């Protein structure tokens, strides 16, 4: 339970918090869902180049409803625009960028992240009726950094930060940083290190919502 | 004179039962639905379909083939959100081979490039690695993945000429250029057929060497 | 020795003889040297698309001296032109065409061709001082057909069609047909089969210039 | 503001002794001689050079590096017709790794695409196969070839923008786009620097993600 008096970040705030840490010049892939919102929070004067695995570098904001180009969608199948300087290419070239280690950062959602950086974000059952992996495994092993953007606990209050993932892995040891609605945590050799918490939250209270030991990051 | 322009019926006529068919597209962009719907009419069955997903709208494209019971197996990365696929899969009436999206693109490109197998880090330490050969390079483990060929590739491009040269629009390249390389017979639907030379040499994305037949989408089918 | 009264083909005639057998619509790669001349002998009304491994499909004739584009050369580093319908691409894509089996025909020169189709055309010594293979091995294994265009014997009168290659191989079992200045021969499971000889030449005389058994092709 | 435009000296300053350097070009087209000559001036030595050939004209480019004794090893497909290389090789003063041209292009592309190794039919049954691992696919033998990385790629393009997007001219692509993918630091000489957006999104051949620095060739160096 989130302690009384502590206000978790809402999704736009979570996206904005993560966006703050992306430096100018990075090539960034944003997963479907909340991670996509990160693009809306990058300061207008900071050039960050957004990659979409279906063959786009340099995506701009969503188009006005009357200016939609039906020939241009992102990985979430939503209409997008191109910035000046954008480039278009095919799927093998796009995943060469991902798998060849050229993407500086990929922001993904997750079901679970383990203290050793293991990521589970593609299926919640090893007997999934229709398993669907998409590009998650490629991104998880290929990008230079994987930052996870997710709620700290599930809707039922179950921790998503765990000692060992119970769901099938997307990739072992992939995650370097986690942004939740309560905290920012680094994955370190000694486990999750808390970089930042929302106002009013204590380490003990955060630990109670986390199924792996927390340490404070040395700053 | 080389002329790869075909009528729709002629283009698809020799696709046989049991064929492996690649189908391009990502989201609604670059999907060769004009060809796929005609393949449904043509009647070939027992097909293996290789495509990034299993479609969604039941009225057109891959779901139409699925609902007609023409597909024995589908090889894809993301079969979610396809009611036609779900209905078959739930009752065990279709085989599924899940392949990570990048591995799918690279396996297809490998088939086109004469590479029978390659190693990748994608899937190591996951259930995708089950039954797969592994090998170490520089102290790191990789999976062996094999080339993925097809008898036929159905793709969509924007413009095409009679030599089969193609250009694309927007995010419409996606899987289309690599699938064109990987099939014994590549058939492209195009929005416009242009004179030889109108696609400038450095604007050709898929050279005609990878394309066997092109079919113009008639205006009435573009609604 | 070539028998008296028999006139071997000269190089333009050899190139022209081979060119006659290339059907419309083939994608053809022509090796450096005499094979390059094949392009000049393809009838003007027959569309054959010439590939160059440095990234060109649809090469046209050599440019007039005052119309040379210094930015456009073929695999032999000579200035070329582009036909309408030409395409330009990079080296990995170009060799994907070759190695992926998309080139209908590659015409190469050779030092030796063996009765089983073995090809030796890249070095005449296993201790070559500066060995240089270029794209020969890729072409020899990748093209759908390898036709060899060469003189029937060396300058010293030594046969180039042999039982077993004495020089290092470019590729085993690669050659399907040989065009020489004396004959056209197919590589068959029963060895070299003579398809055609220059006027006045007998099978015995050709056999005397060939270091592997010849049979007549059944036509 | 992202700005990958560098002065010549700044672009090359951190190339270290012992570096592995890819150098693009095929024939006289697409050779980054403006950069290579500046690397000769910069002084880095004990280099491993990866290039399709070893040059020919001793006044410029790779032969200049060779004559200055800066190259420990060269990896290429066709070192013939280079007197500078011959002089060193004859007396055992340079190492040579011969790689078939297509294998060279594919090994470089593999490095850029995260593929540590792949199989190829090229070289099977020849002396290129000596010491190489083999594997059967579909009853046919193939060689294992490994990815070829570099610390630095020196390439030439026609136009470039401040994000590092590049377009090429004529047969000038050749090894340049794949080398751009395979190096830790890719430096491109370009004939013209243009405003962002002047190279249309579907005309970009090498996206800026593969390019770290671009240098404009001054008019006087184009003589």
């Amino acid at each position: 339970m989130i302690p009384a008096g502590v206000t978790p970040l809402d999704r736009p705030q979570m996206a904005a918090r993560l966006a703050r840490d992306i430096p100018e010049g990075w090539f960034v892939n944003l997963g479907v869902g909340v991670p996509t919102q990160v693009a809306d929070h990058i300061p207008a004067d900071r050039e960050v180049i957004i990659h979409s695995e279906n063959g786009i570098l340099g995506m701009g904001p969503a188009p006005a409803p009357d200016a939609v180009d039906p020939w241009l969608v992102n990985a979430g199948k939503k209409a997008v625009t191109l910035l000046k300087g954008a480039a278009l290419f095919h799927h093998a070239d796009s995943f060469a960028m991902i798998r060849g280690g050229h993407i500086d950062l990929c922001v993904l959602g997750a079901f679970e992240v383990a203290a050793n950086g293991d990521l589970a974000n593609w299926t919640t059952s090893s007997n999934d009726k229709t398993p669907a992996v998409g590009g998650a495994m490629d991104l998880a092993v290929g990008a230079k950094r994987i930052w996870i953007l997710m709620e700290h606990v599930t809707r039922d209050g179950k921790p998503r930060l765990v000692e060992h993932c119970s769901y099938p892995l997307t990739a072992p040891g992939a995650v370097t940083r986690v942004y939740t609605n309560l905290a920012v945590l680094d994955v370190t050799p000694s486990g999750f290190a808390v970089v930042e918490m929302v106002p009013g939250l204590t380490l003990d209270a955060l630990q109670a919502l986390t199924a792996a030991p927390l340490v404070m990051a040395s700053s | 004179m080389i002329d790869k322009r075909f009528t729709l019926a002629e283009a698809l006529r020799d696709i046989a039962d049991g064929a492996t068919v690649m189908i391009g597209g990502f989201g609604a962009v670059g999907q060769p639905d004009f060809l796929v719907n005609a393949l449904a009419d043509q009647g070939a069955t027992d097909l293996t379909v290789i495509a990034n997903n299993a479609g969604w709208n039941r009225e057109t494209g891959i779901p139409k083939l699925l609902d007609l019971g023409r597909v024995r197996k589908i090889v894809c990365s993301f079969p979610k959100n396809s009611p036609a696929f779900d209905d078959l899969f739930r009752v065990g009436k279709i085989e599924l081979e899940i392949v990570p999206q990048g591995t799918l693109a690279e396996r297809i490109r490998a088939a086109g490039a004469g590479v029978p197998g390659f190693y990748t880090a994608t899937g190591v330490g996951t259930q995708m690695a089950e039954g797969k050969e592994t090998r170490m390079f520089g102290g790191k483990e990789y999976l062996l993945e094999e080339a993925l060929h097809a008898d036929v590739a159905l793709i969509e491009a924007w413009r095409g000429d009679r030599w089969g040269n193609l250009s694309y629009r927007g995010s419409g390249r996606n899987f289309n250029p690599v699938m064109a390389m990987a099939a014994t017979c590549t058939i492209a639907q195009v929005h416009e057929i242009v004179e030889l030379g109108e696609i400038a040499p450095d604007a050709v994305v898929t050279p005609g060497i990878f394309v066997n037949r092109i079919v113009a989408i008639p205006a009435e089918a573009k609604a």
Side-chain angles (χ1 to χ4, degrees), chain B residues 62-111:
Chain B
I62 295 172
K64 199 167 163 179
L65 287 180
L66 292 169
D67 278 337
L68 288 165
R70 304 284 170 73
V71 183
R72 186 178 62 73
K73 179 180 175 181
I74 187 159
V75 180
C76 70
S77 86
F78 202 81
K80 273 213 162 62
N81 309 326
S82 172
F85 171 78
D86 286 348
D87 287 355
L88 294 169
F89 193 67
R90 211 177 312 112
V91 296
K93 288 212 167 152
I94 191 166
E95 275 178 72
L96 171 65
E97 179 182 344
I98 283 284
V99 182
Q101 197 172 146
T103 298
L104 185 62
E106 190 69 14
R107 287 179 65 192
I108 294 168
R109 187 228 171 235

Side-chain angles (χ1 to χ4, degrees), chain B residues 179-203:
Chain B
M179 287 180 171
M181 299 168 68
T184 306
C185 180
T186 292
I187 308 168
Q189 68 175 47
V190 300
H191 288 256
E192 190 188 359
I193 291 183
V194 298
E195 291 298 314
L196 219 54
E198 280 191 62
I199 308 175
D202 55 9

Side-chain angles (χ1 to χ4, degrees), chain A residues 38-183:
Chain A
V38 169
D40 304 332
H41 298 279
I42 294 167
D45 63 348
R46 193 189 300 169
E47 285 190 325
V48 169
I49 300 176
I50 307 293
H51 173 264
S52 184
E53 51 263 51
N54 58 321
I56 308 173
L57 269 174
M59 277 198 300
D66 59 348
V68 167
D69 175 355
W71 292 87
L72 198 66
V73 299
N74 66 11
K77 282 90 173 176
K78 298 280 193 302
V80 293
T81 56
L82 299 179
L83 298 180
K84 278 185 181 176
L88 299 166
F89 34 87
H90 63 56
H91 244 82
D93 281 350
S94 184
F95 278 83
M97 293 175 193
I98 292 169
R99 293 150 62 111
H102 305 282
I103 302 285
D104 294 292
L105 169 66
C106 177
V107 182
L108 294 170
F111 299 132
E112 293 175 330
V113 176
N116 65 354
D118 285 1
L119 170 64
N121 82 339
W122 75 284
T123 180
T124 52
S125 157
S126 50
N127 291 309
D128 193 345
K129 280 288 168 270
T130 51
V133 69
M137 288 188 179
D138 306 293
L139 287 160
V141 305
K144 287 181 197 163
R145 298 164 191 83
I146 300 293
W147 290 355
I148 299 299
L149 185 60
M150 64 177 187
E151 258 90 49
H152 203 87
V153 297
T154 67
R155 241 174 285 177
D156 306 337
K158 252 184 71 186
R160 293 175 184 273
L161 294 169
V162 296
E163 195 73 63
H164 301 287
C165 292
S166 63
Y167 296 138
L169 289 193
T170 306
V175 177
T176 51
R177 190 166 248 223
V178 183
Y179 291 81
T180 77
N181 52 343
L182 295 177

